[in-house]
């Protein structure tokens, strides 16, 4: 079920915003800085300014949740950086974690790459769920098939065609040991903010390393600022491509991707290939399960629609609101 804000909640939020803006007005504009959040560590945000200085910043109370990729205004209070305001987001990627709370992953994305590999075996139902969240903001997306060197007769990527039929989607084949494939991927990242998402172990961090030759320097600088010795992919982190050619966010691997915070309408938008037929069923309350006059069943029988996608659609509808 989509959780819509009540009128009261709306009022409370806009009052809070007015308070925040008033607080900003009283500040000397010279003491206000713009930065981009490159990671979140416990109660702190790592904020990088235009000169690529990284600050470990506190967060002014009552601010909404701020994530990797967000742009913010910050100031210094007794030399300690403090984030005062979140600049409105162009878009966001979110899933639901335990207890049904929307869990923001990253914001202000120009494109999202779902990384898959022959091993660990791809999960099309995971990709279906990612697609619903991605379509929510119409963010351009692609699938990276990594570890191309490990593809053999046992690998089955036929499900990718289902996505190509339904979406405008880039497919990029990569392998760590294939420089040409890495160059092609790099070309796709230039001038944009991109994020790598997907299961653990598919090679998101390895690819990030290949895209940014001096990545270890950036991670060292981040670790020096956080005070945490070792920087792993436990935190979603934004890195800059060389020569400021763009930004790349590496995210920790997921097992599942829950989209229960999205509305039925969003779920429909994630399955244009299926809803094309649900609209044509004889009865408007058709369950698409052996119901008479079901256009979905007909489409599957005539090889116009993937049975797997239709099942996935019904499964996701069943578990949502
Ligand atoms: N054969 C082969 N192995 C690869 C390739 N890319 C990555 N690997 C290996 O796959 C393993 C996992 O790579 P990571 O980059 O840590 O995977 P990840 O997606 O970042 O995993 P999480 O951070 O847990 O989400 C490592 O042992 C890599 O060396 C590739 O193109 N070919
Ligand atoms: Mg990783
Ligand atoms: Zn039907």
């Amino acid at each position: 079920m989509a959780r819509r804000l009540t009128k009261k909640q709306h009022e409370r939020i806009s009052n809070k915003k007015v308070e925040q803006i008033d607080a900003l007005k009283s500040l000397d504009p010279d003491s206000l800085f713009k930065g981009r959040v490159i990671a979140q560590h416990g109660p702190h945000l790592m904020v990088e300014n235009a000169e690529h200085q990284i600050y470990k910043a506190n967060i002014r109370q009552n601010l909404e949740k701020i994530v990797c990729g967000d742009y913010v205004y910050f100031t210094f209070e007794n030399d300690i950086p403090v984030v005062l305001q979140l600049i409105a987001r162009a878009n966001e990627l979110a899933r639901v974690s335990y207890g049904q709370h929307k869990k923001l992953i990253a914001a202000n994305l120009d494109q999202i790459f779902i990384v898959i590999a022959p091993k660990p075996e791809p999960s099309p139902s995971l990709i279906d769920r990612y697609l619903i969240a991605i379509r929510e903001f119409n963010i351009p997306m692609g699938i990276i098939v990594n570890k191309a060197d490990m593809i053999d007769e046992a690998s089955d990527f036929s499900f990718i065609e289902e996505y190509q039929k339904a979406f405008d989607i880039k497919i990029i084949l990569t392998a760590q040991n294939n420089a040409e494939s890495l160059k092609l991927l790099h070309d796709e990242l230039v001038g944009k903010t991109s994020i790598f998402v997907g299961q653990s172990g598919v090679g998101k961090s390895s690819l990030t390393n290949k895209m940014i030759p001096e990545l270890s320097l950036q991670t060292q600088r981040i670790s020096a600022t956080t005070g945490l010795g070792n920087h792993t992919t436990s935190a979603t982190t934004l890195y800059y491509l060389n020569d400021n050619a763009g930004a790349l966010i590496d995210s920790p691997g997921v097992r599942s991707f829950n989209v229960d915070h999205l509305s039925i309408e969003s779920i429909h938008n994630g399955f244009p290939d299926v809803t094309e037929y649900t609209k044509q069923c004889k009865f408007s309350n058709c369950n698409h399960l052996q119901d008479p006059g079901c256009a979905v069943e007909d489409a599957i029988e005539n090889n116009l629609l993937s049975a797997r996608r239709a099942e996935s659609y019904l499964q996701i509808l069943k578990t949502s609101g």
Side-chain angles (χ1 to χ4, degrees):
M1 261 293 265
R3 259 160 241 123
R4 306 234 178 270
L5 294 177
T6 63
K7 205 171 159 222
K8 266 233 171 73
Q9 282 170 322
H10 262 302
E11 274 169 14
R12 225 177 296 144
I13 289 169
S14 42
N15 285 344
K16 212 163 75 183
K17 286 214 171 115
V18 171
E19 274 169 38
Q20 282 168 13
I21 290 166
D22 283 348
L24 286 180
K25 274 188 200 146
S26 63
L27 265 172
D28 171 8
D30 288 344
S31 65
L32 207 55
F33 302 93
K34 192 177 166 183
R36 190 163 199 193
V37 175
I38 59 164
Q40 189 214 326
H41 285 279
H44 298 110
L45 294 173
M46 301 299 133
V47 180
E48 189 157 341
N49 67 9
E51 287 77 46
H52 292 293
Q53 274 165 313
I54 302 172
Y55 298 97
K56 179 180 179 176
N58 291 334
I59 310 167
R60 175 60 49 81
Q61 263 183 347
N62 295 326
L63 288 192
E64 57 222 280
K65 177 87 180 134
I66 296 177
V67 283
C68 184
D70 268 327
Y71 292 99
V72 293
Y73 285 120
F74 65 103
T75 190
F76 293 89
E77 290 176 355
N78 302 323
D79 286 341
I80 298 170
V82 184
V83 170
L84 300 180
Q85 199 191 5
L86 168 68
I87 299 174
R89 293 185 179 121
N91 59 39
E92 63 187 36
L93 179 66
R95 66 180 161 119
V96 165
S97 69
Y98 311 104
Q100 295 293 298
H101 286 296
K102 180 168 93 168
K103 191 173 182 302
L104 284 167
I105 297 167
N108 300 316
L109 305 166
D110 294 315
Q111 56 185 356
I112 298 178
F113 286 105
I114 301 172
V115 184
I116 60 174
K119 283 249 153 48
E121 203 176 304
S123 161
S125 86
L126 179 70
I127 301 174
D128 292 341
R129 285 161 198 272
Y130 269 123
L131 280 167
I132 297 169
I134 293 169
R135 297 263 296 177
E136 181 71 3
F137 285 95
N138 278 322
I139 307 172
M141 62 91 56
I143 295 180
I144 297 174
V145 183
N146 188 38
K147 307 195 191 181
D149 53 301
M150 287 174 65
I151 295 177
D152 58 24
E153 316 83 69
S155 320
D156 180 9
F157 289 109
S158 55
F159 62 89
I160 290 178
E161 281 166 36
E162 300 168 358
Y163 299 119
Q164 283 179 303
K165 270 188 211 156
F167 303 98
D168 180 16
I169 198 173
K170 272 178 219 155
I171 311 289
I172 301 172
L173 203 61
T174 56
Q176 294 296 296
N177 58 6
N178 184 312
E180 201 180 327
S181 73
L182 299 172
K183 164 90 172 62
L184 284 174
L185 177 58
H186 187 275
D187 288 347
E188 295 290 336
L189 306 182
V190 170
K192 294 178 177 154
T193 296
S194 314
I195 185 171
F196 289 163
V197 298
Q199 282 163 275
S200 191
V202 291
K204 299 179 293 299
S205 299
S206 310
L207 282 173
T208 305
N209 267 295
K210 292 286 183 185
M211 294 300 109
I212 305 173
E214 45 91 336
L215 185 86
S216 62
L217 265 176
Q218 289 191 46
T219 41
Q220 276 166 31
R221 280 171 52 225
I222 297 168
S223 303
T225 316
T226 57
L228 300 172
N230 213 345
H231 190 81
T232 64
T233 356
S234 56
T236 302
T237 307
L238 181 148
Y239 304 98
Y240 287 94
L241 299 185
N242 284 13
D243 304 324
N244 245 342
L248 176 57
I249 300 175
D250 184 19
S251 71
V254 298
R255 266 208 200 85
S256 62
F257 191 87
N258 208 331
V259 288
D260 295 352
H261 63 299
L262 296 177
S263 65
I264 301 285
E265 195 191 338
S266 304
I267 296 171
H268 285 177
N269 286 338
F271 287 90
D273 46 341
V274 183
T275 54
E276 184 186 338
Y277 295 104
T278 55
K279 282 184 230 150
Q280 300 173 28
C281 293
K282 185 164 180 201
F283 299 105
S284 61
N285 63 349
C286 183
N287 287 311
H288 321 300
L289 299 163
Q290 264 142 37
D291 294 30
C294 178
V296 174
E297 295 232 333
D298 280 353
I300 294 170
E301 264 167 39
N302 293 314
N303 283 323
L304 297 168
L305 173 63
S306 136
R308 191 204 63 75
R309 283 277 293 167
E311 273 163 34
S312 179
Y313 164 80
L314 291 177
Q315 180 63 34
I316 291 173
L317 272 189
K318 206 166 73 185
T319 53
S320 74

